Amino acid sequence: MAALTAALEACKLDGYALADVTRKQRDDDKLVLAAVSENGGALQYASERLRDDEAVVRAAVTSQGEALEHASERLRGDPTIASVACTKAGWALRHCSAALQDDERVVATAVDNDGSSLKFASARLRSDATFVGAHGGSKILEAADPSLSNDATVCAACCARDGEALSLCPEAIRKDRSVVLEAVKSCGAALRHVDDAKLLADADIVLAAAASWGGALERCSPRLKQDPAFIRQAVAIDPWHLQHADGPAAQDRAAVLEAVTRDGSALQFAPH
């Protein structure tokens, strides 16, 4: 009894202490539950019986999603257990049964945690435009079937959720104003992936990007940098955008006043 008590206390402090206990103790429900609750990875040292115990495995994957790897084949095919694991760690999907890797609810749970886990989903779901579009982002689009990168509807949906997905879209889609506008609204830095001169001269697109990315005006057209009305709008978003003003815009009193009123340090960018 003393040995079991000592082992229990050790496992409460460090789940991996389960590796050092006797074979009999690895089959003790209370001891193993304490170990996997502290560190889900300790499930690998549990007895075969307890690796097939729902309460033990649930505790393990709640602690560490990828502990699902050490669960029994039966529980790796249990949608409830799998969903708990994938909520904790999207990549736990790789340890799920083939049937669950084709289960939309389980896969959705995984990719909502980590988009790159889509690589472990079935070929059917990786090529499902509706599914990828609904959960899309840059990581999901990258893991999806390559054909979907050429699907304008999928790209638009992914870019709206994660502007960085624009980098994975073909040139024709990166020239689509509506897609680009949604992308920079989601992530201003997505403007880095825009090369079309017409779009870089589009005030709405650049201002949308400027709302979350300080480098937006470095990418925009020279014409916009010289437009007083545009610069006034830009400095209203971030006074430091004044540093990119050029020509008439750099001399515009209203733009300078707006900038320094919002942030006195922007005075350094005012004309002398």
Side-chain angles (χ1 to χ4, degrees):
M1 181 61 72
L4 182 59
T5 300
L8 179 60
E9 292 306 311
C11 287
K12 285 181 179 179
L13 293 174
D14 179 4
Y16 275 108
L18 189 64
D20 301 320
V21 305
T22 66
R23 185 173 183 178
K24 182 178 180 181
Q25 288 171 338
R26 293 183 189 188
D27 192 48
D28 184 275
D29 295 58
K30 187 176 181 180
L31 178 61
V32 171
L33 187 59
V36 300
S37 296
E38 195 285 322
N39 189 318
L43 183 64
Q44 64 188 292
Y45 302 116
S47 67
E48 184 176 351
R49 177 183 73 84
L50 291 180
R51 283 187 279 115
D52 189 51
D53 182 283
E54 292 184 22
V56 169
V57 173
R58 179 188 286 273
V61 298
T62 298
S63 168
Q64 185 182 107
E66 293 234 34
L68 185 65
E69 175 184 6
H70 307 298
S72 66
E73 182 177 354
R74 178 180 74 86
L75 292 182
R76 282 187 282 114
D78 183 296
T80 301
I81 294 291
S83 292
V84 173
C86 290
T87 296
K88 189 71 176 181
W91 274 41
L93 183 63
R94 61 179 168 168
H95 304 305
C96 294
S97 66
L100 293 185
Q101 290 173 345
D102 190 51
D103 184 298
E104 291 191 21
R105 294 180 65 179
V106 172
V107 176
T109 298
V111 300
D112 286 345
N113 174 273
D114 185 336
S116 65
S117 64
L118 182 65
K119 69 178 73 174
F120 304 116
S122 66
R124 179 184 74 84
L125 289 179
R126 292 198 311 275
S127 60
D128 187 318
T130 300
F131 181 84
V132 172
H135 299 278
S138 58
K139 290 183 177 181
I140 292 179
L141 187 58
E142 187 172 20
D145 187 281
S147 65
L148 295 185
S149 293
N150 294 310
D151 186 310
T153 301
V154 171
C155 283
C158 289
C159 288
R161 292 171 64 91
D162 175 5
E164 283 297 324
L166 190 64
S167 66
L168 301 170
C169 300
E171 183 179 1
I173 293 177
R174 285 187 282 112
K175 288 184 177 181
D176 185 308
R177 184 181 188 277
S178 62
V179 172
V180 171
L181 184 57
E182 289 304 310
V184 298
K185 283 181 179 179
S186 170
C187 174
L191 193 63
R192 304 189 325 276
H193 310 304
V194 178
D195 297 312
D196 184 77
K198 184 178 180 180
L199 296 180
L200 292 173
D202 187 310
D204 291 337
I205 287 176
V206 177
L207 288 172
S212 63
W213 185 44
L217 270 68
E218 294 180 26
R219 293 281 295 153
C220 76
S221 70
R223 180 182 66 78
L224 286 180
K225 295 178 185 180
Q226 296 177 19
D227 184 339
F230 171 79
I231 293 297
R232 287 176 212 148
Q233 290 178 280
V235 298
I237 294 171
D238 182 346
W240 277 51
H241 286 318
L242 184 64
Q243 65 185 298
H244 301 296
D246 193 19
Q251 303 295 323
D252 186 73
R253 177 181 172 80
V256 173
L257 183 61
E258 176 74 23
V260 299
T261 298
R262 290 177 176 273
D263 185 344
S265 65
L267 184 62
Q268 64 185 297
F269 306 121
H272 298 293

